Amino acid sequence: MILFNKIFRPLPIYFRHPHYSSRFLTNAPPSKPLKIFPTGSFVDLRQNGGYYLDKTHFISEIENLNSSAILSLRPHWFGKSLFLSTLSSYYDIDYKGKKFEQLFGDLYIGKNPTPLASSFDVLYFDFSELRDRTALITKLRNIMTWFKERSYFKYSNKISYFENFSNLMRNYKFYVFINNYDTIVNNPTPDYQEVLEQFYSDLSYACDNCGTRVFQTGVIPVATADFNNLIDLTQKIKFWDMYGFKESEFEFLLNNALDYELSTDVKKGIMKWFKKINYGYFFHRYQIEGIFNPAHVLYYLKKIIEQMKFIDEAFYNSQETSVIIKALLDFPSDPYTLLSELESNLIINNPLGKSIFMEASSKIETEGIEQQFNHININKLTTDRNTLLSFMFYNGALTYQSNSLQYKFQIPNNVVKKKFIAKALENYNWKEKDLIFVQKCLQNLKENNDIETLCQFVEKALYKLLKINESNEEALSQAFIDTLIFSFYTDIRPEFTFHADIQPEFWVNYNVNEKIIELVKISDGERIAIECDNIKMECINLSEVQENMQETTKISLSLLEKSEDEILKLEINDPKRPNLKTVGEVLEWKIKKQSKEYLELLKKQDDKSVKCLFIVLRVGSHRLISRKVHFDNKSN
């Protein structure tokens, strides 16, 4: 690598921030760059001279709680596995003496050991690998075989494996570490549930009576066993930075992990960019600063190091600092996924999840979050707002608003925002050209108060959406919402940004529950309201026979070829509206009666004026007929 005076200086042989040296440790000599590699194994990291952010002072804090059962939750990729591995090595009696000194001697806890150091037989379970009854039973048998070979335990073939495991737990003092304990909610089959209940019953008894301790990590709080002295560290203010990186810690890495140190201006530019896309997680309302996902931090650092290998002297000597920064940051988005496929679908394919996500873009307030889920709670995610909001918080899709004295939430960073949007766009298979066209539709809506071109685009979106879920009665409002929110984002065109100016299920009268308008778009301090209605295919009198879903979809698509006059003259037989005999009569009824009620209530809300009110009627599965009911000339 060639050195350039403009952006690089030789790396000094000492740490530039010596007051950090007790927290940032590596076995590599300080004259070399810190060795960075991601791993969940504390022993591997230490033995291979990798960079280790020393957070072992939390061990004594945890012991001081004097609890036999600890629960600690964070979103995916936040370093829980590494911390659990650190704890298991610290308490393992097999690492006593010289091994302990080699692993922990230069760390805080090695210089300030606790009374329980190296005093337990350690059991480690990762439930992401124990997804069914057979896998868990095999794990328990392997544990008992191992103890039998060490002559610690007498295994009896005359009793069941669980009776043997119960005897093991009752006769020895263990520290049991359980990673990804909440994976069990993904497979709550009766036979597996029975094994889990027995497993946790034995753990609970051992904690209460035998000196055993349990430390569990995961993402969401789920019911497992009734530990009498369980303490959840998740939202304790003292443990807010037990996982993840603070801004100063990432800055330290930027200073010490490169072959050659970047200039001050370049580093400032990188940090400014990093904070712009990652403005931090707040796991406690009184947290003093945001915390960054360590997997993302290490990814960015690795990519910057890779980019530095392709430095060209002529380029860097002729470019401004801003151009150099852009070149160093010219790499793909972080591939790490905060949400699993299951968790993503629970949120993204749920209109309620979209509603919460949109509100959170401009800050959202609630009364609190769920402290525990069970299998029934998880199944209620599609209908219960507070349960879904809590689920999104624990998974990292939402975080507390900084310096908030109340339960206010926001989207934590652009990484989450982009991943959420990109995942949602997959439902429609939208391309950049589609999103550019929607821009024109929205411009037409805003400048000319014309919704027709937008309706034509939504008709196509409905077809793609219905292929996923044929029976979705909310497909119309969902397609409108998705089009309006997600139309301004692509990876190719970063200037397209997420627009959180949509309010679905907008309450126009808080005293009358049924007065909810489908959605409201805020534009320059004015409201554009869209009220939707639907005439199902089975209610339309057609000569064609609708024998199956495929045939019904084909007939519904044929309505797209009919003129508006032909659509309005179609006869209907709708049990909910027996007095209305044609599509045109339904549209007129919607305009004259319901829209008037909505419009009067909208006008009474003083915070924003009502620019336009549209009625959009879906005829069949795809065809849309729209009318502009109200237009405020004063707003133009």
Side-chain angles (χ1 to χ4, degrees):
M1 180 184 294
I2 305 173
L3 306 182
F4 308 109
N5 294 331
K6 187 170 183 180
I7 60 169
F8 297 117
R9 298 192 305 272
L11 184 69
I13 61 172
Y14 55 87
F15 287 148
R16 297 188 70 224
H17 303 288
H19 56 285
Y20 286 152
S21 59
S22 63
R23 295 283 310 281
F24 298 83
L25 295 164
T26 175
N27 289 335
S31 59
K32 295 182 180 180
L34 300 181
K35 187 177 179 181
I36 308 295
F37 61 90
T39 178
S41 170
F42 172 75
V43 173
D44 287 349
L45 191 67
R46 299 292 283 161
Q47 288 181 343
N48 289 288
Y51 163 79
Y52 180 75
L53 173 57
D54 184 11
K55 298 200 175 189
T56 58
H57 60 285
F58 285 111
I59 295 177
S60 55
E61 298 283 0
I62 293 169
E63 272 195 31
N64 290 338
L65 297 173
N66 196 29
S67 174
S68 59
I70 298 291
L71 176 65
S72 182
L73 307 175
R74 281 293 182 266
H76 296 291
W77 301 102
F78 245 91
K80 301 184 297 295
S81 297
L82 179 58
F83 188 73
L84 205 65
S85 177
T86 302
L87 291 177
S88 65
S89 300
Y90 177 76
Y91 287 108
D92 196 336
I93 197 170
D94 287 343
Y95 287 110
K96 197 171 186 177
K98 186 177 180 180
K99 289 183 178 179
F100 182 90
E101 181 61 28
Q102 290 174 340
L103 289 174
F104 294 97
D106 57 348
L107 302 181
Y108 173 89
I109 203 66
K111 299 172 183 176
N112 304 276
T114 63
L116 297 180
S118 304
S119 62
F120 289 90
D121 285 308
V122 166
L123 301 182
Y124 189 97
F125 296 85
D126 187 342
F127 273 101
S128 65
E129 302 171 355
L130 305 173
R131 295 181 176 272
D132 55 39
R133 184 178 187 273
T134 301
L136 179 55
I137 291 175
T138 300
K139 173 72 172 180
L140 298 178
R141 283 176 174 164
N142 289 340
I143 288 172
M144 288 183 286
T145 300
W146 185 73
F147 271 87
K148 180 181 178 181
E149 291 173 353
R150 293 179 57 170
S151 301
Y152 285 172
F153 174 63
K154 294 182 179 179
Y155 184 88
S156 175
N157 294 318
K158 297 180 180 180
I159 58 178
S160 69
Y161 65 90
F162 252 122
E163 288 176 297
N164 274 296
F165 184 69
S166 296
N167 289 338
L168 179 67
M169 298 303 296
R170 282 166 168 76
N171 287 284
Y172 299 95
K173 184 177 72 171
F174 292 101
Y175 210 133
V176 182
F177 296 97
I178 302 176
N179 199 14
N180 300 305
Y181 89 108
D182 49 339
T183 308
I184 59 176
V185 302
N186 297 331
N187 191 11
T189 56
D191 59 338
Y192 189 39
Q193 191 67 32
E194 181 182 359
V195 175
L196 285 170
E197 289 175 358
Q198 182 63 54
F199 170 75
Y200 273 103
S201 175
D202 290 334
L203 284 188
S204 178
Y205 179 89
C207 286
D208 294 340
N209 301 284
C210 308
T212 286
R213 294 187 173 222
V214 173
F215 194 107
Q216 297 189 108
T217 65
V219 176
I220 60 173
V222 294
T224 51
D226 294 326
F227 293 104
N228 290 330
N229 194 23
L230 176 68
I231 292 181
D232 185 352
L233 306 182
T234 305
Q235 294 186 64
K236 304 294 184 186
I237 184 62
K238 184 179 291 187
F239 299 96
W240 70 272
D241 63 332
M242 192 166 77
Y243 305 104
F245 289 94
K246 292 185 283 190
E247 180 182 336
S248 60
E249 293 165 347
F250 179 43
E251 194 171 3
F252 178 88
L253 279 176
L254 201 58
N255 284 326
N256 293 280
L258 309 178
D259 287 325
Y260 294 93
E261 189 178 359
L262 295 170
S263 70
T264 301
D265 288 344
V266 172
K267 285 188 292 188
K268 284 182 178 179
I270 291 174
M271 287 301 300
K272 183 178 179 180
W273 166 83
F274 179 77
K275 288 191 291 182
K276 182 178 180 180
I277 65 170
N278 290 278
Y279 26 98
Y281 290 84
F282 289 79
F283 298 111
H284 195 280
R285 288 176 292 159
Y286 307 128
Q287 192 172 314
I288 58 176
E289 64 173 293
I291 199 82
F292 301 123
N293 184 298
H296 294 158
V297 169
L298 296 181
Y299 173 80
Y300 297 135
L301 191 66
K302 177 183 176 183
K303 288 299 180 181
I304 291 170
I305 293 173
E306 289 177 0
Q307 291 295 96
M308 290 173 61
K309 295 178 182 178
F310 302 98
I311 293 171
D312 178 81
E313 183 174 9
F315 172 80
Y316 282 109
N317 283 337
S318 62
Q319 299 297 330
E320 297 295 327
T321 300
S322 59
V323 178
I324 297 169
I325 293 170
K326 186 175 181 180
L328 287 172
L329 299 177
D330 185 19
F331 49 78
S333 300
D334 176 21
Y336 286 104
T337 302
L338 294 176
L339 304 177
S340 69
E341 192 73 17
L342 175 65
E343 292 157 349
S344 297
N345 290 335
L346 280 170
I347 298 172
I348 294 169
N349 295 332
N350 184 348
L352 181 57
K354 292 189 180 80
S355 172
I356 293 172
F357 195 81
M358 283 185 288
E359 291 180 60
S361 296
S362 55
K363 311 274 190 332
I364 184 174
E365 187 170 342
T366 186
E367 295 180 357
I369 62 171
E370 298 279 344
Q371 297 302 311
Q372 188 177 82
F373 295 93
N374 55 42
H375 299 149
I376 296 175
N377 289 141
I378 296 297
N379 293 331
K380 286 184 177 179
L381 283 174
T382 56
T383 58
D384 187 273
R385 176 184 173 83
N386 192 62
T387 302
L388 182 56
L389 187 149
S390 303
F391 184 81
M392 293 169 72
F393 167 77
Y394 284 113
N395 277 281
L398 297 178
T399 184
Y400 282 119
Q401 186 182 141
S402 59
N403 301 317
S404 173
L405 300 180
Q406 299 173 331
Y407 289 98
K408 294 183 178 181
F409 296 88
Q410 62 184 6
I411 300 171
N413 50 53
N414 285 342
V415 175
V416 173
K417 193 179 295 184
K418 288 184 177 182
K419 286 185 181 299
F420 183 95
I421 296 170
K423 181 66 179 177
L425 289 176
E426 291 178 9
N427 285 346
Y428 302 97
N429 193 29
W430 279 341
K431 308 299 182 184
E432 184 185 9
K433 63 180 181 179
D434 298 314
L435 304 185
I436 292 174
F437 178 74
V438 173
Q439 276 191 297
K440 297 178 181 179
C441 295
L442 296 180
Q443 187 176 3
N444 192 28
L445 175 64
K446 180 179 178 181
E447 296 179 0
N448 303 320
N449 308 296
D450 184 358
I451 201 174
E452 184 59 30
T453 54
L454 183 61
C455 287
Q456 292 172 4
F457 184 86
V458 171
E459 285 176 341
K460 298 177 182 179
L462 278 169
Y463 177 60
K464 294 178 181 178
L465 184 66
L466 289 171
K467 287 193 296 185
I468 300 170
N469 188 351
E470 304 288 355
S471 62
N472 187 358
E473 294 185 3
E474 303 300 324
L476 176 57
S477 58
Q478 185 173 331
F480 261 107
I481 290 170
D482 290 351
T483 303
L484 292 171
I485 333 176
F486 302 134
S487 58
F488 284 90
Y489 166 73
T490 65
D491 277 332
I492 303 173
R493 300 284 293 276
E495 66 269 24
F496 293 169
T497 56
F498 178 80
H499 276 222
D501 52 5
I502 313 298
Q503 297 176 333
E505 295 188 348
F506 185 80
W507 291 78
V508 294
N509 189 342
Y510 290 99
N511 296 321
V512 184
N513 290 343
E514 65 270 17
K515 297 299 179 186
I516 301 176
I517 201 163
E518 214 68 55
L519 65 96
V520 167
K521 176 178 172 59
I522 307 300
S523 178
D524 299 327
E526 299 170 318
R527 290 196 183 99
I528 297 175
I530 303 174
E531 172 60 13
C532 302
D533 206 338
N534 184 56
I535 299 177
K536 296 181 179 180
M537 279 297 299
E538 58 264 30
C539 297
I540 305 173
N541 297 332
L542 295 167
S543 57
E544 296 93 338
V545 179
Q546 304 175 38
E547 295 181 346
N548 52 51
M549 181 57 68
Q550 185 176 3
E551 188 65 28
T552 300
T553 301
K554 182 179 178 180
I555 297 170
S556 177
L557 286 171
S558 71
L559 298 181
L560 295 173
E561 301 173 2
K562 294 182 180 294
S563 68
E564 184 172 300
D565 286 341
E566 289 177 301
I567 296 295
L568 294 176
K569 291 176 182 178
L570 287 175
E571 295 182 355
I572 64 170
N573 182 17
D574 190 343
K576 294 182 179 180
R577 294 173 279 209
N579 297 326
L580 304 177
K581 302 301 182 182
T582 66
V583 172
E585 289 181 14
V586 173
L587 183 60
E588 288 301 314
W589 169 78
K590 188 75 177 178
I591 293 171
K592 292 178 180 179
K593 185 178 180 181
Q594 288 186 294
S595 65
K596 182 180 179 180
E597 295 177 358
Y598 287 131
L599 186 57
E600 291 175 353
L601 293 170
L602 276 170
K603 287 181 177 179
K604 291 179 181 179
Q605 299 190 10
D606 297 329
D607 55 336
K608 293 177 179 66
S609 63
V610 184
K611 182 180 181 182
C612 288
L613 172 63
F614 296 96
I615 298 294
V616 177
L617 179 64
R618 180 171 68 159
V619 183
S621 299
H622 309 92
R623 182 61 188 271
L624 302 182
I625 300 292
S626 65
R627 288 291 185 272
K628 181 166 59 181
V629 177
H630 168 76
F631 168 56
D632 184 3
N633 287 302
K634 296 177 183 179
S635 64
N636 264 13

